[in-house]
Amino acid sequence: DDATDLKATSPQDREKARSAKAWASFQAFLKSPGDKCPHCWLMRRHCCCEGLPRFELRLRVIVLMHHLEIGQRKASNTAKLLAHFGAEMLCWGVEEHDERLQEIIKDDPEGTVVLFPSETAVQATELSETPRQILVLDGGWRECVRMNAWISSAVQRCIVTTASRSELGGTRKYDGGTDDRVQTAAAFVTLLRELGQDEKEVAALRSGLAHYMSCFEAQINRSK
Protein backbone atom coordinates (compact mmCIF):
# COMPACT_ATOMS: atom_id res chain seq x y z
CA ASP A 1 0.00 0.00 0.00
CA ASP A 2 1.00 3.71 -0.10
CA ALA A 3 2.22 3.78 3.51
CA THR A 4 4.52 0.79 2.96
CA ASP A 5 5.86 2.28 -0.27
CA LEU A 6 6.63 5.59 1.44
CA LYS A 7 8.55 3.88 4.26
CA ALA A 8 10.79 2.20 1.71
CA THR A 9 11.79 5.45 -0.01
CA SER A 10 14.15 8.29 0.89
CA PRO A 11 12.96 11.41 2.77
CA GLN A 12 13.26 13.40 -0.47
CA ASP A 13 11.09 10.90 -2.34
CA ARG A 14 8.52 10.91 0.45
CA GLU A 15 8.38 14.70 0.32
CA LYS A 16 7.89 14.65 -3.45
CA ALA A 17 5.14 12.04 -3.08
CA ARG A 18 3.33 14.27 -0.58
CA SER A 19 3.68 17.24 -2.93
CA ALA A 20 2.29 15.26 -5.86
CA LYS A 21 -0.61 14.04 -3.73
CA ALA A 22 -1.36 17.60 -2.52
CA TRP A 23 -1.30 18.96 -6.07
CA ALA A 24 -3.60 16.18 -7.31
CA SER A 25 -5.96 16.97 -4.43
CA PHE A 26 -5.86 20.65 -5.39
CA GLN A 27 -6.74 19.86 -9.01
CA ALA A 28 -9.69 17.78 -7.83
CA PHE A 29 -10.76 20.65 -5.56
CA LEU A 30 -10.70 23.08 -8.52
CA LYS A 31 -13.07 20.80 -10.43
CA SER A 32 -15.39 20.26 -7.48
CA PRO A 33 -14.82 22.90 -4.76
CA GLY A 34 -18.09 22.30 -2.93
CA ASP A 35 -19.02 25.17 -0.60
CA LYS A 36 -15.64 26.90 -1.03
CA CYS A 37 -14.58 29.36 -3.69
CA PRO A 38 -11.83 27.65 -5.73
CA HIS A 39 -9.93 30.94 -6.05
CA CYS A 40 -9.93 32.66 -2.64
CA TRP A 41 -10.61 29.48 -0.61
CA LEU A 42 -13.23 31.25 1.48
CA MET A 43 -16.73 29.86 1.84
CA ARG A 44 -18.80 30.93 -1.17
CA ARG A 45 -21.08 33.13 0.91
CA HIS A 46 -18.00 35.10 2.00
CA CYS A 47 -16.08 34.96 -1.32
CA CYS A 48 -13.93 38.05 -1.85
CA CYS A 49 -13.22 37.65 -5.57
CA GLU A 50 -15.94 39.93 -6.94
CA GLY A 51 -14.69 42.85 -4.85
CA LEU A 52 -10.98 42.50 -5.73
CA PRO A 53 -9.43 45.10 -8.07
CA ARG A 54 -8.80 43.75 -11.57
CA PHE A 55 -5.34 44.31 -13.03
CA GLU A 56 -2.20 42.36 -13.90
CA LEU A 57 1.06 42.86 -12.04
CA ARG A 58 3.73 44.52 -14.16
CA LEU A 59 6.51 42.37 -12.77
CA ARG A 60 6.58 38.61 -13.27
CA VAL A 61 5.65 36.94 -9.98
CA ILE A 62 5.95 33.26 -9.11
CA VAL A 63 4.49 31.94 -5.85
CA LEU A 64 6.25 28.76 -4.72
CA MET A 65 3.92 27.06 -2.25
CA HIS A 66 4.73 24.25 0.14
CA HIS A 67 2.48 21.22 -0.28
CA LEU A 68 0.92 21.77 3.15
CA GLU A 69 -0.53 25.10 2.00
CA ILE A 70 -1.78 23.57 -1.25
CA GLY A 71 -3.17 20.49 0.47
CA GLN A 72 -4.91 22.25 3.37
CA ARG A 73 -6.21 25.23 1.35
CA LYS A 74 -6.93 27.23 4.48
CA ALA A 75 -8.97 30.40 4.20
CA SER A 76 -6.22 32.16 6.17
CA ASN A 77 -3.65 31.67 3.40
CA THR A 78 -2.98 35.05 1.74
CA ALA A 79 -0.52 34.04 -1.00
CA LYS A 80 -3.23 32.61 -3.24
CA LEU A 81 -4.58 36.16 -3.66
CA LEU A 82 -1.54 36.99 -5.80
CA ALA A 83 -2.81 34.58 -8.48
CA HIS A 84 -5.78 36.90 -8.98
CA PHE A 85 -3.32 39.60 -10.05
CA GLY A 86 -1.44 37.40 -12.50
CA ALA A 87 1.09 35.56 -10.33
CA GLU A 88 1.90 31.97 -11.27
CA MET A 89 1.45 29.35 -8.56
CA LEU A 90 3.82 26.39 -8.32
CA CYS A 91 3.92 23.58 -5.75
CA TRP A 92 7.41 22.78 -4.51
CA GLY A 93 8.29 19.12 -4.94
CA VAL A 94 6.03 18.48 -7.94
CA GLU A 95 8.54 17.45 -10.58
CA GLU A 96 7.20 19.48 -13.48
CA HIS A 97 6.79 22.52 -11.23
CA ASP A 98 10.36 22.26 -9.97
CA GLU A 99 11.61 21.95 -13.54
CA ARG A 100 9.55 24.97 -14.62
CA LEU A 101 10.89 27.09 -11.77
CA GLN A 102 14.47 26.20 -12.64
CA GLU A 103 13.79 27.21 -16.25
CA ILE A 104 12.24 30.52 -15.14
CA ILE A 105 15.31 31.30 -13.05
CA LYS A 106 17.67 30.15 -15.80
CA ASP A 107 15.97 32.50 -18.28
CA ASP A 108 16.87 35.58 -16.21
CA PRO A 109 19.00 34.82 -13.14
CA GLU A 110 20.26 38.41 -12.79
CA GLY A 111 16.72 39.80 -12.93
CA THR A 112 15.32 37.41 -10.33
CA VAL A 113 14.96 37.98 -6.59
CA VAL A 114 13.63 35.68 -3.87
CA LEU A 115 11.58 37.39 -1.17
CA PHE A 116 13.07 35.67 1.86
CA PRO A 117 15.00 36.94 4.93
CA SER A 118 18.14 34.84 4.51
CA GLU A 119 21.51 35.82 6.00
CA THR A 120 22.63 37.13 2.61
CA ALA A 121 19.41 39.02 1.84
CA VAL A 122 19.62 42.65 0.74
CA GLN A 123 17.05 45.25 1.71
CA ALA A 124 14.65 45.83 -1.17
CA THR A 125 15.36 49.55 -1.04
CA GLU A 126 19.07 48.86 -1.61
CA LEU A 127 18.79 46.61 -4.68
CA SER A 128 20.97 47.98 -7.48
CA GLU A 129 18.12 47.66 -9.97
CA THR A 130 14.45 46.73 -10.02
CA PRO A 131 14.01 42.96 -10.48
CA ARG A 132 12.13 41.67 -13.49
CA GLN A 133 10.75 38.62 -11.72
CA ILE A 134 10.02 37.94 -8.07
CA LEU A 135 9.90 34.53 -6.44
CA VAL A 136 7.63 34.48 -3.39
CA LEU A 137 7.91 31.56 -0.95
CA ASP A 138 4.76 30.50 0.88
CA GLY A 139 4.60 28.11 3.81
CA GLY A 140 5.49 27.85 7.47
CA TRP A 141 8.89 29.17 8.53
CA ARG A 142 10.61 25.75 8.54
CA GLU A 143 9.10 24.90 5.17
CA CYS A 144 10.22 28.19 3.64
CA VAL A 145 13.75 27.69 4.98
CA ARG A 146 13.90 24.37 3.15
CA MET A 147 12.46 25.80 -0.07
CA ASN A 148 14.92 28.67 0.06
CA ALA A 149 17.85 26.26 0.54
CA TRP A 150 16.73 24.37 -2.57
CA ILE A 151 16.98 27.47 -4.76
CA SER A 152 20.42 28.37 -6.09
CA SER A 153 22.33 30.69 -3.76
CA ALA A 154 23.37 32.65 -6.86
CA VAL A 155 19.87 34.14 -6.99
CA GLN A 156 19.58 37.36 -5.00
CA ARG A 157 17.51 37.24 -1.80
CA CYS A 158 15.80 40.38 -0.56
CA ILE A 159 13.88 41.52 2.50
CA VAL A 160 11.43 44.26 3.31
CA THR A 161 11.89 46.57 6.28
CA THR A 162 8.64 48.56 6.51
CA ALA A 163 6.07 45.75 6.72
CA SER A 164 3.54 46.32 9.47
CA ARG A 165 0.87 43.94 10.72
CA SER A 166 -1.03 46.86 12.23
CA GLU A 167 -1.15 48.51 8.81
CA LEU A 168 -1.77 45.49 6.57
CA GLY A 169 -3.55 43.11 8.92
CA GLY A 170 -3.23 39.36 9.35
CA THR A 171 -5.25 36.16 9.42
CA ARG A 172 -2.84 34.03 11.44
CA LYS A 173 -1.38 34.56 14.88
CA TYR A 174 2.26 33.79 15.62
CA ASP A 175 3.75 32.85 18.98
CA GLY A 176 5.80 35.81 20.10
CA GLY A 177 5.00 37.55 16.82
CA THR A 178 5.89 41.23 16.50
CA ASP A 179 4.24 43.92 14.39
CA ASP A 180 6.77 43.44 11.58
CA ARG A 181 5.95 39.74 11.19
CA VAL A 182 3.46 39.75 8.37
CA GLN A 183 2.04 37.14 6.03
CA THR A 184 2.96 36.48 2.42
CA ALA A 185 0.63 38.90 0.62
CA ALA A 186 1.41 41.74 3.03
CA ALA A 187 5.15 41.19 2.59
CA PHE A 188 4.70 41.26 -1.18
CA VAL A 189 2.70 44.50 -1.10
CA THR A 190 5.45 46.01 1.03
CA LEU A 191 8.08 44.78 -1.42
CA LEU A 192 6.42 46.53 -4.36
CA ARG A 193 6.19 49.72 -2.32
CA GLU A 194 9.84 49.57 -1.31
CA LEU A 195 10.85 48.88 -4.92
CA GLY A 196 9.13 52.13 -5.90
CA GLN A 197 6.56 50.43 -8.10
CA ASP A 198 3.55 52.31 -9.46
CA GLU A 199 1.64 53.84 -6.54
CA LYS A 200 -1.75 53.01 -8.06
CA GLU A 201 -0.75 49.35 -8.36
CA VAL A 202 0.46 49.23 -4.76
CA ALA A 203 -2.71 50.98 -3.56
CA ALA A 204 -4.89 48.54 -5.51
CA LEU A 205 -3.07 45.57 -3.98
CA ARG A 206 -3.50 47.04 -0.50
CA SER A 207 -7.18 47.60 -1.20
CA GLY A 208 -7.57 44.03 -2.41
CA LEU A 209 -5.82 42.64 0.65
CA ALA A 210 -8.01 44.75 2.96
CA HIS A 211 -11.14 43.54 1.17
CA TYR A 212 -10.05 39.92 1.54
CA MET A 213 -9.34 40.52 5.25
CA SER A 214 -12.87 41.87 5.79
CA CYS A 215 -14.39 38.84 4.04
CA PHE A 216 -12.19 36.50 6.08
CA GLU A 217 -13.24 38.22 9.32
CA ALA A 218 -16.89 37.92 8.33
CA GLN A 219 -16.43 34.19 7.81
CA ILE A 220 -14.61 33.77 11.12
CA ASN A 221 -17.23 35.76 13.05
CA ARG A 222 -20.05 33.76 11.49
CA SER A 223 -18.44 30.50 12.56
CA LYS A 224 -17.99 31.53 16.20
Side-chain angles (χ1 to χ4, degrees):
D1 58 16
D2 290 346
T4 303
D5 290 342
L6 283 176
K7 288 180 181 178
T9 58
S10 68
Q12 292 84 357
D13 287 339
R14 289 198 293 272
E15 190 77 3
K16 288 184 177 181
R18 293 186 186 104
S19 295
K21 184 177 181 180
W23 186 251
S25 169
F26 180 60
Q27 296 307 302
F29 164 73
L30 292 179
K31 293 179 180 178
S32 181
D35 293 332
K36 274 189 173 184
C37 169
H39 306 296
C40 69
W41 304 354
L42 294 171
M43 300 301 289
R44 287 186 184 276
R45 68 171 69 93
H46 297 294
C47 172
C48 71
C49 296
E50 195 63 34
L52 292 175
R54 298 190 179 279
F55 69 93
E56 289 254 333
L57 293 163
R58 300 185 186 191
L59 299 177
R60 186 179 193 182
V61 179
I62 303 93
V63 178
L64 184 64
M65 280 193 169
H66 190 268
H67 67 76
L68 288 176
E69 300 294 329
I70 288 283
Q72 294 173 352
R73 298 183 290 278
K74 290 184 177 179
S76 58
N77 178 286
T78 64
K80 85 267 183 169
L81 291 176
L82 302 184
H84 173 85
F85 301 105
E88 180 176 356
M89 279 177 53
L90 298 176
C91 181
W92 182 57
V94 175
E95 188 172 0
E96 55 265 37
H97 291 205
D98 289 350
E99 291 174 354
R100 173 155 178 75
L101 182 62
Q102 295 297 353
E103 284 298 319
I104 290 171
I105 294 173
K106 185 179 178 181
D107 284 345
D108 190 8
E110 294 83 8
T112 305
V113 296
V114 180
L115 178 58
F116 184 76
S118 67
E119 293 181 357
T120 60
V122 173
Q123 292 184 14
T125 53
E126 296 180 358
L127 288 170
S128 57
E129 60 181 44
T130 301
R132 290 176 288 276
Q133 48 190 25
I134 300 169
L135 177 53
V136 179
L137 307 184
D138 186 56
W141 173 251
R142 286 180 297 179
E143 289 74 31
C144 284
V145 167
R146 292 168 59 205
M147 290 192 290
N148 177 67
W150 176 79
I151 299 166
S152 170
S153 60
V155 180
Q156 179 68 64
R157 269 61 170 175
C158 75
I159 56 172
V160 294
T161 55
T162 60
S164 167
R165 191 177 179 89
S166 56
E167 175 195 1
L168 297 168
T171 59
R172 295 179 181 176
K173 295 180 180 179
Y174 302 109
D175 292 337
T178 55
D179 189 54
D180 62 349
R181 186 170 182 185
V182 297
Q183 289 169 255
T184 304
F188 178 75
V189 172
T190 304
L191 175 61
L192 290 193
R193 182 172 64 193
E194 293 187 2
L195 288 174
Q197 290 296 291
D198 183 76
E199 291 182 6
K200 290 182 179 178
E201 185 172 300
V202 175
L205 272 175
R206 284 187 60 186
S207 172
L209 181 57
H211 172 66
Y212 154 76
M213 291 288 183
S214 66
C215 293
F216 174 81
E217 288 297 331
Q219 177 170 308
I220 292 300
N221 291 335
R222 185 184 177 93
S223 65
K224 286 182 179 178

mmCIF file of all heavy atoms in Angstrom, residues 58-91:
data_model
loop_
_atom_site.group_PDB
_atom_site.id
_atom_site.type_symbol
_atom_site.label_atom_id
_atom_site.label_comp_id
_atom_site.label_asym_id
_atom_site.label_seq_id
_atom_site.Cartn_x
_atom_site.Cartn_y
_atom_site.Cartn_z
ATOM 1 N N ARG A 58 2.778 44.190 -13.099
ATOM 2 C CA ARG A 58 3.730 44.520 -14.164
ATOM 3 C C ARG A 58 4.945 43.600 -14.119
ATOM 4 O O ARG A 58 5.500 43.245 -15.158
ATOM 5 C CB ARG A 58 4.168 45.984 -14.038
ATOM 6 C CG ARG A 58 3.006 46.962 -14.143
ATOM 7 C CD ARG A 58 3.480 48.393 -14.138
ATOM 8 N NE ARG A 58 2.347 49.313 -14.106
ATOM 9 C CZ ARG A 58 2.447 50.609 -14.305
ATOM 10 N NH1 ARG A 58 3.639 51.140 -14.544
ATOM 11 N NH2 ARG A 58 1.385 51.386 -14.257
ATOM 12 N N LEU A 59 5.372 43.267 -12.922
ATOM 13 C CA LEU A 59 6.512 42.365 -12.772
ATOM 14 C C LEU A 59 6.028 40.915 -12.840
ATOM 15 O O LEU A 59 4.881 40.614 -12.503
ATOM 16 C CB LEU A 59 7.221 42.610 -11.434
ATOM 17 C CG LEU A 59 7.813 44.000 -11.221
ATOM 18 C CD1 LEU A 59 8.420 44.101 -9.824
ATOM 19 C CD2 LEU A 59 8.860 44.312 -12.274
ATOM 20 N N ARG A 60 6.918 40.038 -13.260
ATOM 21 C CA ARG A 60 6.581 38.611 -13.267
ATOM 22 C C ARG A 60 6.702 38.090 -11.842
ATOM 23 O O ARG A 60 7.741 38.299 -11.183
ATOM 24 C CB ARG A 60 7.538 37.854 -14.186
ATOM 25 C CG ARG A 60 7.179 36.390 -14.358
ATOM 26 C CD ARG A 60 8.145 35.696 -15.306
ATOM 27 N NE ARG A 60 7.667 34.398 -15.726
ATOM 28 C CZ ARG A 60 8.339 33.584 -16.522
ATOM 29 N NH1 ARG A 60 9.529 33.954 -16.998
ATOM 30 N NH2 ARG A 60 7.843 32.408 -16.870
ATOM 31 N N VAL A 61 5.669 37.419 -11.366
ATOM 32 C CA VAL A 61 5.645 36.939 -9.980
ATOM 33 C C VAL A 61 5.331 35.449 -9.974
ATOM 34 O O VAL A 61 4.381 34.996 -10.617
ATOM 35 C CB VAL A 61 4.595 37.698 -9.142
ATOM 36 C CG1 VAL A 61 4.585 37.163 -7.705
ATOM 37 C CG2 VAL A 61 4.879 39.195 -9.154
ATOM 38 N N ILE A 62 6.160 34.694 -9.263
ATOM 39 C CA ILE A 62 5.948 33.261 -9.105
ATOM 40 C C ILE A 62 5.804 32.963 -7.615
ATOM 41 O O ILE A 62 6.678 33.330 -6.816
ATOM 42 C CB ILE A 62 7.125 32.429 -9.678
ATOM 43 C CG1 ILE A 62 7.343 32.756 -11.159
ATOM 44 C CG2 ILE A 62 6.866 30.946 -9.501
ATOM 45 C CD1 ILE A 62 8.372 33.840 -11.402
ATOM 46 N N VAL A 63 4.715 32.340 -7.239
ATOM 47 C CA VAL A 63 4.493 31.935 -5.849
ATOM 48 C C VAL A 63 4.828 30.456 -5.733
ATOM 49 O O VAL A 63 4.181 29.612 -6.363
ATOM 50 C CB VAL A 63 3.035 32.186 -5.409
ATOM 51 C CG1 VAL A 63 2.832 31.689 -3.965
ATOM 52 C CG2 VAL A 63 2.680 33.661 -5.522
ATOM 53 N N LEU A 64 5.865 30.149 -4.956
ATOM 54 C CA LEU A 64 6.246 28.757 -4.725
ATOM 55 C C LEU A 64 5.658 28.324 -3.389
ATOM 56 O O LEU A 64 6.109 28.749 -2.328
ATOM 57 C CB LEU A 64 7.775 28.612 -4.707
ATOM 58 C CG LEU A 64 8.300 27.178 -4.572
ATOM 59 C CD1 LEU A 64 7.900 26.331 -5.774
ATOM 60 C CD2 LEU A 64 9.826 27.170 -4.410
ATOM 61 N N MET A 65 4.638 27.485 -3.455
ATOM 62 C CA MET A 65 3.924 27.056 -2.252
ATOM 63 C C MET A 65 4.423 25.707 -1.761
ATOM 64 O O MET A 65 4.729 24.817 -2.557
ATOM 65 C CB MET A 65 2.431 26.940 -2.522
ATOM 66 C CG MET A 65 1.667 28.241 -2.495
ATOM 67 S SD MET A 65 -0.120 27.903 -2.447
ATOM 68 C CE MET A 65 -0.735 29.551 -2.098
ATOM 69 N N HIS A 66 4.457 25.556 -0.451
ATOM 70 C CA HIS A 66 4.726 24.247 0.138
ATOM 71 C C HIS A 66 3.467 23.406 0.025
ATOM 72 O O HIS A 66 2.343 23.936 0.016
ATOM 73 C CB HIS A 66 5.134 24.396 1.608
ATOM 74 C CG HIS A 66 5.652 23.135 2.201
ATOM 75 N ND1 HIS A 66 4.839 22.231 2.863
ATOM 76 C CD2 HIS A 66 6.897 22.591 2.214
ATOM 77 C CE1 HIS A 66 5.567 21.205 3.264
ATOM 78 N NE2 HIS A 66 6.813 21.387 2.881
ATOM 79 N N HIS A 67 3.638 22.097 -0.066
ATOM 80 C CA HIS A 67 2.478 21.222 -0.283
ATOM 81 C C HIS A 67 1.452 21.281 0.842
ATOM 82 O O HIS A 67 0.260 21.014 0.626
ATOM 83 C CB HIS A 67 2.915 19.777 -0.541
ATOM 84 C CG HIS A 67 3.560 19.091 0.624
ATOM 85 N ND1 HIS A 67 2.836 18.612 1.691
ATOM 86 C CD2 HIS A 67 4.858 18.779 0.887
ATOM 87 C CE1 HIS A 67 3.652 18.038 2.558
ATOM 88 N NE2 HIS A 67 4.886 18.123 2.094
ATOM 89 N N LEU A 68 1.877 21.661 2.053
ATOM 90 C CA LEU A 68 0.916 21.768 3.148
ATOM 91 C C LEU A 68 -0.093 22.879 2.884
ATOM 92 O O LEU A 68 -1.284 22.748 3.190
ATOM 93 C CB LEU A 68 1.645 22.020 4.476
ATOM 94 C CG LEU A 68 2.422 20.833 5.050
ATOM 95 C CD1 LEU A 68 3.174 21.250 6.305
ATOM 96 C CD2 LEU A 68 1.486 19.662 5.347
ATOM 97 N N GLU A 69 0.379 23.998 2.326
ATOM 98 C CA GLU A 69 -0.526 25.103 2.004
ATOM 99 C C GLU A 69 -1.492 24.690 0.896
ATOM 100 O O GLU A 69 -2.691 24.975 0.959
ATOM 101 C CB GLU A 69 0.277 26.334 1.569
ATOM 102 C CG GLU A 69 1.239 26.870 2.616
ATOM 103 C CD GLU A 69 0.530 27.441 3.838
ATOM 104 O OE1 GLU A 69 -0.594 27.969 3.696
ATOM 105 O OE2 GLU A 69 1.106 27.353 4.942
ATOM 106 N N ILE A 70 -0.962 24.028 -0.122
ATOM 107 C CA ILE A 70 -1.784 23.570 -1.247
ATOM 108 C C ILE A 70 -2.788 22.515 -0.793
ATOM 109 O O ILE A 70 -3.962 22.536 -1.184
ATOM 110 C CB ILE A 70 -0.892 22.976 -2.362
ATOM 111 C CG1 ILE A 70 -0.119 24.089 -3.071
ATOM 112 C CG2 ILE A 70 -1.721 22.167 -3.351
ATOM 113 C CD1 ILE A 70 -0.925 24.887 -4.052
ATOM 114 N N GLY A 71 -2.314 21.596 0.046
ATOM 115 C CA GLY A 71 -3.173 20.492 0.475
ATOM 116 C C GLY A 71 -4.264 20.915 1.443
ATOM 117 O O GLY A 71 -5.397 20.432 1.364
ATOM 118 N N GLN A 72 -3.937 21.847 2.348
ATOM 119 C CA GLN A 72 -4.912 22.251 3.366
ATOM 120 C C GLN A 72 -5.874 23.323 2.858
ATOM 121 O O GLN A 72 -7.011 23.405 3.297
ATOM 122 C CB GLN A 72 -4.176 22.739 4.615
ATOM 123 C CG GLN A 72 -3.389 21.655 5.315
ATOM 124 C CD GLN A 72 -2.522 22.186 6.452
ATOM 125 O OE1 GLN A 72 -2.395 23.407 6.640
ATOM 126 N NE2 GLN A 72 -1.913 21.288 7.200
ATOM 127 N N ARG A 73 -5.375 24.182 1.948
ATOM 128 C CA ARG A 73 -6.208 25.234 1.351
ATOM 129 C C ARG A 73 -6.993 26.015 2.403
ATOM 130 O O ARG A 73 -8.224 26.184 2.319
ATOM 131 C CB ARG A 73 -7.159 24.622 0.307
ATOM 132 C CG ARG A 73 -6.448 23.963 -0.837
ATOM 133 C CD ARG A 73 -7.412 23.430 -1.866
ATOM 134 N NE ARG A 73 -8.163 22.267 -1.389
ATOM 135 C CZ ARG A 73 -7.694 21.022 -1.393
ATOM 136 N NH1 ARG A 73 -6.470 20.776 -1.823
ATOM 137 N NH2 ARG A 73 -8.426 20.026 -0.961
ATOM 138 N N LYS A 74 -6.285 26.499 3.394
ATOM 139 C CA LYS A 74 -6.930 27.234 4.476
ATOM 140 C C LYS A 74 -7.356 28.621 4.014
ATOM 141 O O LYS A 74 -6.670 29.274 3.229
ATOM 142 C CB LYS A 74 -5.978 27.358 5.672
ATOM 143 C CG LYS A 74 -5.727 26.043 6.397
ATOM 144 C CD LYS A 74 -4.862 26.264 7.619
ATOM 145 C CE LYS A 74 -4.664 24.960 8.408
ATOM 146 N NZ LYS A 74 -3.801 25.160 9.600
ATOM 147 N N ALA A 75 -8.476 29.063 4.538
ATOM 148 C CA ALA A 75 -8.975 30.396 4.203
ATOM 149 C C ALA A 75 -7.969 31.464 4.603
ATOM 150 O O ALA A 75 -7.885 32.525 3.983
ATOM 151 C CB ALA A 75 -10.305 30.643 4.908
ATOM 152 N N SER A 76 -7.175 31.178 5.637
ATOM 153 C CA SER A 76 -6.223 32.161 6.166
ATOM 154 C C SER A 76 -4.994 32.355 5.295
ATOM 155 O O SER A 76 -4.212 33.283 5.513
ATOM 156 C CB SER A 76 -5.783 31.745 7.574
ATOM 157 O OG SER A 76 -5.196 30.455 7.553
ATOM 158 N N ASN A 77 -4.798 31.507 4.296
ATOM 159 C CA ASN A 77 -3.653 31.673 3.402
ATOM 160 C C ASN A 77 -3.854 32.922 2.547
ATOM 161 O O ASN A 77 -4.892 33.086 1.902
ATOM 162 C CB ASN A 77 -3.503 30.450 2.500
ATOM 163 C CG ASN A 77 -2.367 30.576 1.507
ATOM 164 O OD1 ASN A 77 -2.467 31.308 0.529
ATOM 165 N ND2 ASN A 77 -1.280 29.877 1.755
ATOM 166 N N THR A 78 -2.861 33.803 2.511
ATOM 167 C CA THR A 78 -2.983 35.045 1.744
ATOM 168 C C THR A 78 -2.271 34.991 0.397
ATOM 169 O O THR A 78 -2.586 35.766 -0.502
ATOM 170 C CB THR A 78 -2.425 36.240 2.533
ATOM 171 O OG1 THR A 78 -1.013 36.071 2.743
ATOM 172 C CG2 THR A 78 -3.129 36.385 3.888
ATOM 173 N N ALA A 79 -1.314 34.073 0.227
ATOM 174 C CA ALA A 79 -0.516 34.036 -0.998
ATOM 175 C C ALA A 79 -1.354 33.756 -2.229
ATOM 176 O O ALA A 79 -1.059 34.252 -3.323
ATOM 177 C CB ALA A 79 0.597 32.992 -0.869
ATOM 178 N N LYS A 80 -2.429 32.971 -2.065
ATOM 179 C CA LYS A 80 -3.228 32.613 -3.241
ATOM 180 C C LYS A 80 -3.888 33.829 -3.859
ATOM 181 O O LYS A 80 -4.285 33.818 -5.024
ATOM 182 C CB LYS A 80 -4.271 31.548 -2.899
ATOM 183 C CG LYS A 80 -5.592 32.082 -2.311
ATOM 184 C CD LYS A 80 -5.579 32.119 -0.824
ATOM 185 C CE LYS A 80 -6.904 32.574 -0.227
ATOM 186 N NZ LYS A 80 -6.949 32.367 1.218
ATOM 187 N N LEU A 81 -3.997 34.934 -3.109
ATOM 188 C CA LEU A 81 -4.576 36.157 -3.664
ATOM 189 C C LEU A 81 -3.735 36.698 -4.815
ATOM 190 O O LEU A 81 -4.259 37.328 -5.731
ATOM 191 C CB LEU A 81 -4.674 37.234 -2.577
ATOM 192 C CG LEU A 81 -5.673 37.009 -1.446
ATOM 193 C CD1 LEU A 81 -5.558 38.126 -0.438
ATOM 194 C CD2 LEU A 81 -7.090 36.910 -1.985
ATOM 195 N N LEU A 82 -2.431 36.454 -4.773
ATOM 196 C CA LEU A 82 -1.545 36.986 -5.801
ATOM 197 C C LEU A 82 -1.856 36.396 -7.173
ATOM 198 O O LEU A 82 -1.600 37.023 -8.205
ATOM 199 C CB LEU A 82 -0.082 36.743 -5.431
ATOM 200 C CG LEU A 82 0.367 37.349 -4.089
ATOM 201 C CD1 LEU A 82 1.864 37.131 -3.889
ATOM 202 C CD2 LEU A 82 0.023 38.825 -4.013
ATOM 203 N N ALA A 83 -2.434 35.191 -7.204
ATOM 204 C CA ALA A 83 -2.807 34.577 -8.481
ATOM 205 C C ALA A 83 -3.876 35.407 -9.178
ATOM 206 O O ALA A 83 -3.917 35.476 -10.419
ATOM 207 C CB ALA A 83 -3.298 33.149 -8.252
ATOM 208 N N HIS A 84 -4.739 36.053 -8.404
ATOM 209 C CA HIS A 84 -5.783 36.901 -8.979
ATOM 210 C C HIS A 84 -5.176 38.046 -9.790
ATOM 211 O O HIS A 84 -5.786 38.519 -10.756
ATOM 212 C CB HIS A 84 -6.664 37.460 -7.858
ATOM 213 C CG HIS A 84 -7.680 38.473 -8.316
ATOM 214 N ND1 HIS A 84 -8.911 38.120 -8.820
ATOM 215 C CD2 HIS A 84 -7.621 39.837 -8.364
ATOM 216 C CE1 HIS A 84 -9.577 39.213 -9.152
ATOM 217 N NE2 HIS A 84 -8.822 40.265 -8.885
ATOM 218 N N PHE A 85 -3.975 38.469 -9.386
ATOM 219 C CA PHE A 85 -3.322 39.598 -10.045
ATOM 220 C C PHE A 85 -2.260 39.155 -11.059
ATOM 221 O O PHE A 85 -1.416 39.951 -11.464
ATOM 222 C CB PHE A 85 -2.708 40.516 -8.991
ATOM 223 C CG PHE A 85 -3.717 41.052 -8.009
ATOM 224 C CD1 PHE A 85 -3.789 40.551 -6.716
ATOM 225 C CD2 PHE A 85 -4.623 42.029 -8.391
ATOM 226 C CE1 PHE A 85 -4.727 41.026 -5.810
ATOM 227 C CE2 PHE A 85 -5.574 42.505 -7.500
ATOM 228 C CZ PHE A 85 -5.637 42.013 -6.206
ATOM 229 N N GLY A 86 -2.307 37.876 -11.429
ATOM 230 C CA GLY A 86 -1.438 37.402 -12.498
ATOM 231 C C GLY A 86 -0.229 36.598 -12.078
ATOM 232 O O GLY A 86 0.556 36.179 -12.932
ATOM 233 N N ALA A 87 -0.050 36.362 -10.774
ATOM 234 C CA ALA A 87 1.087 35.555 -10.330
ATOM 235 C C ALA A 87 0.868 34.090 -10.717
ATOM 236 O O ALA A 87 -0.264 33.616 -10.801
ATOM 237 C CB ALA A 87 1.262 35.671 -8.815
ATOM 238 N N GLU A 88 1.967 33.398 -10.955
ATOM 239 C CA GLU A 88 1.905 31.972 -11.274
ATOM 240 C C GLU A 88 2.153 31.164 -10.006
ATOM 241 O O GLU A 88 3.100 31.435 -9.265
ATOM 242 C CB GLU A 88 2.958 31.618 -12.334
ATOM 243 C CG GLU A 88 2.958 30.158 -12.731
ATOM 244 C CD GLU A 88 3.939 29.837 -13.840
ATOM 245 O OE1 GLU A 88 4.579 30.777 -14.363
ATOM 246 O OE2 GLU A 88 4.080 28.651 -14.186
ATOM 247 N N MET A 89 1.313 30.180 -9.748
ATOM 248 C CA MET A 89 1.452 29.347 -8.559
ATOM 249 C C MET A 89 2.106 28.025 -8.908
ATOM 250 O O MET A 89 1.669 27.330 -9.825
ATOM 251 C CB MET A 89 0.082 29.088 -7.917
ATOM 252 C CG MET A 89 -0.434 30.208 -7.054
ATOM 253 S SD MET A 89 -2.102 29.864 -6.398
ATOM 254 C CE MET A 89 -1.862 28.258 -5.636
ATOM 255 N N LEU A 90 3.156 27.677 -8.155
ATOM 256 C CA LEU A 90 3.824 26.389 -8.320
ATOM 257 C C LEU A 90 3.874 25.688 -6.962
ATOM 258 O O LEU A 90 3.956 26.349 -5.920
ATOM 259 C CB LEU A 90 5.240 26.578 -8.852
ATOM 260 C CG LEU A 90 5.392 27.228 -10.239
ATOM 261 C CD1 LEU A 90 6.870 27.418 -10.572
ATOM 262 C CD2 LEU A 90 4.698 26.413 -11.306
ATOM 263 N N CYS A 91 3.836 24.370 -6.992
ATOM 264 C CA CYS A 91 3.915 23.580 -5.754
ATOM 265 C C CYS A 91 5.290 22.928 -5.675
ATOM 266 O O CYS A 91 5.634 22.087 -6.522
ATOM 267 C CB CYS A 91 2.807 22.528 -5.731
ATOM 268 S SG CYS A 91 2.796 21.502 -4.236
#
